[in-house]
Amino acid sequence: MIRVTVWGENVHEKTNATVGKIYPEGMHECIAQALRRDPGFEVRTATLDMPEHGLTEEILENTDVITWWGHVAHGKVEEKIVSRVHKRVLEGMGIIVLHSGHYSKIFRRLLGTNCSLKWRECGERERVWVCNPSHPIAQGIGDCIELENTEMYGEPFGIPPPDEQVFISWYEGGEVFRSGNCWRRGAGKLFYFSPGHETYPIYHNPKIQMVLRNACKWAVADGPRWVDACPNVPIEKAPEKLTLKGESVHVPGQAGFR
Amino acid sequence: MIRVTVWGENVHEKTNATVGKIYPEGMHECIAQALRRDPGFEVRTATLDMPEHGLTEEILENTDVITWWGHVAHGKVEEKIVSRVHKRVLEGMGIIVLHSGHYSKIFRRLLGTNCSLKWRECGERERVWVCNPSHPIAQGIGDCIELENTEMYGEPFGIPPPDEQVFISWYEGGEVFRSGNCWRRGAGKLFYFSPGHETYPIYHNPKIQMVLRNACKWAVADGPRWVDACPNVPIEKAPEKLTLKGESVHVPGQAGFR
Amino acid sequence: MIRVTVWGENVHEKTNATVGKIYPEGMHECIAQALRRDPGFEVRTATLDMPEHGLTEEILENTDVITWWGHVAHGKVEEKIVSRVHKRVLEGMGIIVLHSGHYSKIFRRLLGTNCSLKWRECGERERVWVCNPSHPIAQGIGDCIELENTEMYGEPFGIPPPDEQVFISWYEGGEVFRSGNCWRRGAGKLFYFSPGHETYPIYHNPKIQMVLRNACKWAVADGPRWVDACPNVPIEKAPEKLTLKGESVHVPGQAGFR
Amino acid sequence: MIRVTVWGENVHEKTNATVGKIYPEGMHECIAQALRRDPGFEVRTATLDMPEHGLTEEILENTDVITWWGHVAHGKVEEKIVSRVHKRVLEGMGIIVLHSGHYSKIFRRLLGTNCSLKWRECGERERVWVCNPSHPIAQGIGDCIELENTEMYGEPFGIPPPDEQVFISWYEGGEVFRSGNCWRRGAGKLFYFSPGHETYPIYHNPKIQMVLRNACKWAVADGPRWVDACPNVPIEKAPEKLTLKGESVHVPGQAGFR
């Protein structure tokens, strides 16, 4: 079983009537149900307003992949929780960041850049093209996904070069955007997928849902949990025979800030 | 002129007699003098104990490339200064991170990973091999740099895959390490170079000094300062003719946490 | 079932007594048996001296992953067969190139570079380090693989930057080498693994055998066969409504050399 | 001085009236003149119909960067000349491949893939977006280049992942394309730029011309000519002290096919 935690801000759903109508149980619940269509997933949801934003140590310990949708409340996510999620990703927990999550603390922390972009909200048409048809995340999608009404996200996108480019989007207003990008961070895999503006029923779209399921499967770690350390390998344990030359100033615990 | 700021912790130089003898004016001054051998550089130094760690807004505004050496006092670098340096890198300031700087706040913030490694301090021999002879940073180095006494840094190195691999090191004790790695972060270029343990006269080595000069030249931005923003492109300014479909819920300033 | 074709030159085995003793049935058979230890593989072998080098259209049509070991007879591999293998890789057949296969026609054709390296044959010790512990190919290997006697391959290695770096090797004589490298070519995955000099029993080593099994699993395509074409999308089939502006000089079949 | 050789097929110019009117002296001459606007370039042209396609050993020896435009006559470029160009690129000669050159022998040889794409010729609008504003090739271009009439090239583009992504194009008909891509091959730099269909005056466009000048400057080698070899490092020359273990079967010249 792949254990997925779908995290949502759950703010717009409660404050905006349009969003509330499209996602009566919240975007997170819609996404969770899309994942549950595959019996290989075990899905829970978590939202900003829960204690610890629903991301307790125990829940994250038992999460293989987390999905993240946030927008107006990035600043309200506690640093302590961001660090907890960051640590789990480096250990091997996969993470799928969605739409306005490009400005989330966790995404910017994993990438080290601003992740800025251009944007326009007027319901224009988007076409999400597959530029890498053999990629696991693109399987079953065909040529492209057509979205009748979306929010434009346009280049330049302030990200480090993706390790893998899966999708590039076309917008009716004339812009383009790298809409499906993969990176490795530690033992974890990160996929950013841009469609998902809250005032359109994008997460109800079957192809979008397929991308989410593909991405969660792709994002599962390939090996056991990576336990990070900065181990000293003493002379006697060196693979080759060594003698001490000069004095050692090694002071246990001096290896630096952690 | 390339304006370089050489930042050093300047702690070991004052607390460790061995280090004090090798670098009587501090590692930072030794590195600065190595750079000044090329008249195309204008070099200043800055240390941890200066006000704002010597990295005021004005100094950073007038820095094209910063070099960073830290070890026991990573935790003492103020978050505010780290953020200031981070912002300047994304705008286009180059950054050369050295040796134990792998655990500095700025390096880990730019890369998003732990940057851990294995290590051993017993004065063993290191050979820094050029694996990319056509790279600008490798020019004039020849095959490799031999260092009689160093501190071993060994794989696995907890970094994202480098955009460019320049050097890989061999250690007498049997380990290997990706010792010269390039990344792009925003408009800035980042080069990590591992040799430089404080109890050996590594920064006095002519080939090491040549790498530092090459790296500082390489790290200069290729274009004007990048001013980060997340601009809205209103309908009337869209490249293609558009009409509003559905309602816009755009709220100025709602673009998210910055 | 993963269908693997293990291709070997099978020249040294017949002309060199040392090699004949280590690999009485040929290196290819030794590698095939290593793969067959996993019941998920269906393995056949093929050698240079067979008709069409054992790589008929039918055999390649039914091959998911091919492994390739060649050395003194790279020049004897027919261009027509190289092209056939190349086409299959771009369609999605995985390929594992071993040791002196760095100079094979197929490897150089897939990468576009010379793939030269430094070398020395004197039975020195090699240590193959895992630099990417979370990579599928590195699973179960532990820290490293120690090989008592090998042939040194040293940087610089004339390859394009690998998409993924899995192993880096240390040699007793002082050199280093990027010994485990992954690339994507079309729908196919390519893994180059350097250990395997014919006068040492390297393919009998259990950890080396594990790498081969891991690599063959990794190299299986993630999707259906990619059928390459350069399709014209006529105006009437364009995703957006278009009118012809200016004259079309499109001549069917003019799309260029194939 | 940067010595550029602009290579053009020069077939359409002579057989198609529309092309002949737009480029009376040939596309190659138009491109050459665009480059000559910068006094730092020394430019010659060469065409398919010249002896050795104008690419003699002497001319290539004295070329720092070559540009390549071909379309209907890829198959007529002699293998011997392709190999000569390939060798020079690996030595450090830069290469800019344009438009339908995606199907040229030299481009496909350098990349190892088919380089196929979708296409449509109906004079639609293209917008070439800068997705990497700090890249040397993007300097002075601004946001994007608007081309009123072009030929659509659409994803998926059968290339290996670019080392650097500079431009992505938008087409009126709904497609997108990675229109500005950089790779390293050996000591050489390769830039592919897609605009340039022969029946439109694209190479007369000032911004397109600026991209060509930027690209030629970017493509100059960073170091001396790389002389490829596969050198043996005998025991006595090994960096570390070694003794022969087992017998050496090294046969001079046995290093394999070249």
Side-chain angles (χ1 to χ4, degrees):
Chain A
M1 290 301 271
I2 301 174
R3 302 161 302 175
V4 185
T5 298
V6 176
W7 193 89
E9 222 177 51
N10 199 28
V11 167
H12 291 305
E13 292 91 327
K14 297 185 296 191
T15 61
N16 183 303
T18 308
V19 182
K21 267 202 217 97
I22 300 172
Y23 298 109
E25 293 174 289
M27 255 180 283
H28 49 287
E29 191 51 42
C30 178
I31 291 171
Q33 284 171 25
L35 295 176
R36 290 189 192 111
R37 297 179 79 127
D38 184 323
F41 289 117
E42 189 185 296
V43 188
R44 77 192 324 148
T45 60
T47 56
L48 178 76
D49 56 337
M50 290 169 67
E52 298 183 73
H53 309 314
L55 302 174
T56 62
E57 294 268 15
E58 196 194 341
I59 281 173
L60 289 178
E61 282 296 301
N62 291 286
T63 295
D64 299 312
V65 181
I66 187 171
T67 75
W68 193 280
W69 197 106
H71 184 206
V72 289
H74 296 312
K76 296 205 175 124
V77 181
E78 286 181 52
E79 294 294 330
K80 179 181 85 170
I81 304 298
V82 180
S83 298
R84 191 181 286 168
V85 175
H86 190 187
K87 176 171 181 283
R88 283 291 294 127
V89 172
L90 299 180
E91 288 176 351
M93 181 177 76
I95 175 166
I96 314 298
V97 177
L98 301 170
H99 191 60
S100 38
H102 72 91
Y103 252 9
S104 64
K105 290 182 179 182
I106 185 61
F107 188 64
R108 290 161 57 129
R109 197 181 288 195
L110 282 166
L111 291 188
T113 58
N114 281 331
C115 307
S116 298
L117 42 81
K118 297 160 61 170
W119 61 283
R120 172 177 54 246
E121 187 200 23
C122 69
E124 68 203 88
R125 187 161 51 256
E126 172 180 357
R127 194 168 287 104
V128 185
W129 287 99
V130 171
C131 58
N132 192 344
S134 57
H135 197 279
I137 297 180
Q139 296 313 303
I141 300 308
D143 269 4
C144 64
I145 305 176
E146 290 210 10
L147 299 168
E148 233 356 84
N149 305 106
T150 69
E151 174 185 27
M152 181 283 287
Y153 274 8
E155 294 287 340
F157 189 15
I159 48 171
D163 296 335
E164 296 166 284
Q165 189 68 57
V166 189
F167 301 110
I168 295 176
S169 283
W170 176 101
Y171 290 92
E172 192 179 347
E175 290 91 354
V176 296
F177 192 70
R178 285 168 289 168
S179 44
N181 312 309
C182 300
W183 293 270
R184 298 297 306 247
R185 285 294 181 270
K189 300 181 205 174
L190 160 60
F191 178 63
Y192 172 79
F193 189 51
S194 58
H197 191 59
E198 65 274 13
T199 57
Y200 313 116
I202 289 168
Y203 293 118
H204 290 284
N205 179 302
K207 277 193 168 181
I208 295 289
Q209 294 188 349
M210 189 182 295
V211 171
L212 297 178
R213 287 189 300 267
N214 289 349
C216 287
K217 283 180 209 150
W218 168 84
V220 176
D222 294 307
R225 175 166 311 197
W226 174 253
V227 179
D228 186 67
C230 213
N232 173 252
V233 184
I235 286 185
E236 52 276 9
K237 291 222 153 72
E240 297 286 318
K241 203 165 162 59
L242 281 176
T243 51
L244 177 65
K245 297 185 243 178
E247 69 189 64
S248 163
V249 297
H250 162 55
V251 172
Q254 191 191 53
F257 163 75
R258 210 170 207 296
Chain B
M1 291 299 272
I2 300 175
R3 302 161 302 175
V4 185
T5 298
V6 177
W7 193 87
E9 221 176 52
N10 200 28
V11 167
H12 290 307
E13 292 89 327
K14 298 186 296 192
T15 61
N16 183 304
T18 308
V19 182
K21 268 203 217 97
I22 300 172
Y23 299 110
E25 294 174 286
M27 255 180 284
H28 50 286
E29 191 52 42
C30 177
I31 290 171
Q33 284 170 24
L35 295 175
R36 290 188 193 111
R37 296 178 80 126
D38 184 325
F41 289 117
E42 189 186 295
V43 189
R44 76 193 322 148
T45 60
T47 57
L48 178 76
D49 56 337
M50 291 169 65
E52 297 184 73
H53 309 314
L55 302 175
T56 62
E57 295 269 14
E58 199 196 341
I59 281 172
L60 289 179
E61 281 297 301
N62 291 287
T63 295
D64 299 311
V65 182
I66 187 171
T67 76
W68 193 282
W69 197 106
H71 185 207
V72 288
H74 295 312
K76 296 205 173 123
V77 181
E78 287 181 51
E79 294 295 329
K80 180 181 84 170
I81 303 300
V82 180
S83 297
R84 189 181 288 169
V85 174
H86 189 186
K87 176 172 182 283
R88 283 290 296 127
V89 172
L90 299 180
E91 289 176 351
M93 180 178 77
I95 175 164
I96 314 297
V97 177
L98 301 170
H99 190 61
S100 37
H102 73 91
Y103 252 9
S104 64
K105 290 181 177 182
I106 184 61
F107 188 63
R108 288 160 60 128
R109 198 180 288 196
L110 282 166
L111 292 188
T113 58
N114 280 330
C115 307
S116 298
L117 42 81
K118 296 159 63 171
W119 61 282
R120 173 177 53 246
E121 187 200 24
C122 70
E124 69 203 87
R125 186 159 54 254
E126 172 179 359
R127 195 167 288 104
V128 185
W129 286 99
V130 172
C131 58
N132 193 343
S134 58
H135 198 278
I137 297 180
Q139 297 312 305
I141 300 307
D143 268 5
C144 64
I145 306 175
E146 291 211 8
L147 298 167
E148 234 354 83
N149 305 106
T150 69
E151 175 184 25
M152 180 283 287
Y153 274 7
E155 295 285 343
F157 188 15
I159 48 172
D163 296 334
E164 295 165 286
Q165 189 68 57
V166 188
F167 302 111
I168 296 177
S169 283
W170 176 101
Y171 291 91
E172 191 180 347
E175 290 91 353
V176 296
F177 192 69
R178 285 167 290 169
S179 45
N181 311 308
C182 299
W183 293 270
R184 298 297 306 249
R185 284 296 181 268
K189 300 181 206 175
L190 159 60
F191 177 64
Y192 173 80
F193 189 50
S194 58
H197 192 59
E198 65 275 12
T199 57
Y200 313 116
I202 288 168
Y203 293 117
H204 290 285
N205 179 301
K207 277 193 167 180
I208 295 289
Q209 295 187 348
M210 188 182 297
V211 171
L212 297 177
R213 288 190 298 268
N214 289 348
C216 286
K217 284 181 207 151
W218 168 84
V220 176
D222 293 307
R225 175 167 310 199
W226 174 253
V227 180
D228 186 67
C230 212
N232 173 251
V233 184
I235 285 183
E236 53 276 9
K237 290 220 154 73
E240 298 286 318
K241 203 165 161 61
L242 281 177
T243 51
L244 177 65
K245 297 185 244 178
E247 69 188 63
S248 165
V249 297
H250 161 56
V251 172
Q254 191 193 53
F257 162 75
R258 205 163 211 302
Chain C
M1 290 299 272
I2 300 174
R3 303 159 302 174
V4 185
T5 298
V6 177
W7 193 87
E9 221 176 51
N10 200 28
V11 167
H12 291 306
E13 292 90 326
K14 297 186 296 191
T15 60
N16 183 302
T18 307
V19 182
K21 266 201 218 102
I22 300 171
Y23 299 109
E25 294 173 287
M27 254 180 283
H28 50 286
E29 191 51 41
C30 177
I31 290 170
Q33 284 171 24
L35 296 175
R36 290 188 192 112
R37 297 179 80 127
D38 183 323
F41 289 116
E42 189 186 295
V43 188
R44 77 195 321 151
T45 61
T47 57
L48 178 75
D49 56 338
M50 291 169 64
E52 298 184 73
H53 308 315
L55 302 174
T56 62
E57 294 268 13
E58 197 195 341
I59 281 173
L60 288 179
E61 283 295 302
N62 292 286
T63 296
D64 299 311
V65 181
I66 188 171
T67 76
W68 193 281
W69 197 106
H71 185 205
V72 288
H74 295 312
K76 297 206 172 122
V77 181
E78 286 182 52
E79 293 295 329
K80 180 182 85 173
I81 304 300
V82 180
S83 297
R84 190 182 286 168
V85 175
H86 189 186
K87 176 171 181 283
R88 283 290 295 128
V89 172
L90 298 180
E91 288 177 350
M93 181 177 76
I95 176 165
I96 314 297
V97 177
L98 301 170
H99 190 61
S100 38
H102 72 91
Y103 253 9
S104 65
K105 290 182 178 182
I106 185 59
F107 189 62
R108 290 161 58 129
R109 197 181 288 195
L110 283 166
L111 292 188
T113 58
N114 281 330
C115 306
S116 297
L117 42 82
K118 297 160 60 170
W119 61 283
R120 173 177 53 246
E121 187 199 24
C122 70
E124 69 203 87
R125 186 161 51 257
E126 171 180 358
R127 195 167 286 104
V128 185
W129 286 99
V130 172
C131 58
N132 193 344
S134 57
H135 197 278
I137 296 180
Q139 295 314 304
I141 301 307
D143 269 4
C144 65
I145 305 176
E146 289 210 12
L147 299 167
E148 233 354 84
N149 305 106
T150 69
E151 174 185 25
M152 181 282 287
Y153 275 6
E155 295 287 341
F157 188 15
I159 48 173
D163 295 336
E164 296 166 284
Q165 189 68 57
V166 189
F167 301 111
I168 295 176
S169 283
W170 176 101
Y171 290 92
E172 192 180 349
E175 291 89 353
V176 296
F177 192 70
R178 284 168 289 168
S179 45
N181 312 308
C182 300
W183 293 270
R184 297 299 304 251
R185 285 295 182 270
K189 299 181 206 174
L190 159 60
F191 178 63
Y192 172 79
F193 189 51
S194 57
H197 192 59
E198 64 274 14
T199 58
Y200 313 116
I202 288 168
Y203 293 117
H204 290 284
N205 179 302
K207 277 192 168 181
I208 295 289
Q209 294 187 350
M210 188 182 295
V211 170
L212 297 177
R213 287 189 298 268
N214 289 347
C216 286
K217 283 181 208 152
W218 168 83
V220 176
D222 292 306
R225 177 167 308 200
W226 174 253
V227 179
D228 186 66
C230 214
N232 173 250
V233 184
I235 285 183
E236 52 276 9
K237 290 220 153 73
E240 296 288 318
K241 204 164 158 62
L242 280 176
T243 52
L244 177 65
K245 298 185 245 178
E247 71 188 61
S248 163
V249 297
H250 163 55
V251 171
Q254 192 192 53
F257 162 76
R258 206 165 211 300
Chain D
M1 291 298 271
I2 300 174
R3 302 161 302 174
V4 185
T5 298
V6 177
W7 193 89
E9 221 177 53
N10 199 28
V11 168
H12 291 306
E13 292 89 327
K14 298 187 296 192
T15 60
N16 182 304
T18 307
V19 183
K21 268 204 216 95
I22 300 171
Y23 299 111
E25 293 174 288
M27 254 179 283
H28 51 284
E29 191 52 41
C30 176
I31 290 171
Q33 285 170 23
L35 294 176
R36 290 187 193 113
R37 298 179 78 127
D38 184 323
F41 290 116
E42 188 185 296
V43 189
R44 77 194 322 150
T45 60
T47 57
L48 178 76
D49 56 337
M50 291 169 66
E52 296 184 74
H53 309 315
L55 301 174
T56 62
E57 294 269 14
E58 198 195 340
I59 281 173
L60 288 179
E61 282 295 301
N62 291 287
T63 297
D64 299 311
V65 182
I66 187 172
T67 75
W68 193 282
W69 197 106
H71 184 206
V72 288
H74 296 312
K76 296 205 172 121
V77 181
E78 286 181 52
E79 293 296 328
K80 181 181 84 171
I81 304 300
V82 181
S83 297
R84 191 181 287 168
V85 175
H86 189 186
K87 177 171 182 281
R88 284 290 297 127
V89 172
L90 298 180
E91 288 175 353
M93 180 178 77
I95 175 165
I96 314 298
V97 178
L98 301 170
H99 191 61
S100 38
H102 72 92
Y103 253 8
S104 65
K105 289 182 179 183
I106 185 60
F107 189 63
R108 288 161 58 129
R109 199 181 287 197
L110 282 166
L111 293 189
T113 58
N114 281 330
C115 306
S116 298
L117 41 82
K118 298 159 61 169
W119 61 282
R120 173 178 53 247
E121 187 199 23
C122 70
E124 68 203 88
R125 188 161 51 256
E126 172 179 358
R127 194 168 288 104
V128 185
W129 286 99
V130 172
C131 58
N132 194 344
S134 57
H135 197 278
I137 297 180
Q139 297 312 305
I141 301 307
D143 268 5
C144 63
I145 305 175
E146 290 210 9
L147 299 168
E148 233 354 85
N149 304 107
T150 68
E151 174 184 26
M152 180 284 286
Y153 273 8
E155 295 285 342
F157 188 15
I159 48 173
D163 296 335
E164 296 167 284
Q165 189 68 58
V166 189
F167 302 110
I168 296 177
S169 283
W170 177 101
Y171 291 91
E172 191 180 349
E175 290 89 354
V176 296
F177 192 70
R178 284 168 290 169
S179 44
N181 311 309
C182 300
W183 292 270
R184 299 296 308 246
R185 284 297 182 270
K189 299 181 204 175
L190 160 60
F191 177 63
Y192 172 79
F193 188 51
S194 57
H197 191 59
E198 65 274 12
T199 58
Y200 314 115
I202 288 168
Y203 293 117
H204 290 285
N205 179 301
K207 276 193 169 180
I208 294 290
Q209 295 187 348
M210 188 182 295
V211 171
L212 297 178
R213 287 190 299 268
N214 289 348
C216 286
K217 283 180 207 149
W218 168 84
V220 175
D222 293 307
R225 177 166 310 198
W226 174 255
V227 179
D228 186 67
C230 214
N232 173 251
V233 184
I235 286 184
E236 53 276 10
K237 290 221 152 75
E240 296 287 317
K241 203 166 161 62
L242 281 177
T243 51
L244 177 64
K245 297 185 244 176
E247 70 188 60
S248 163
V249 297
H250 162 54
V251 172
Q254 192 193 53
F257 163 75
R258 205 164 210 299

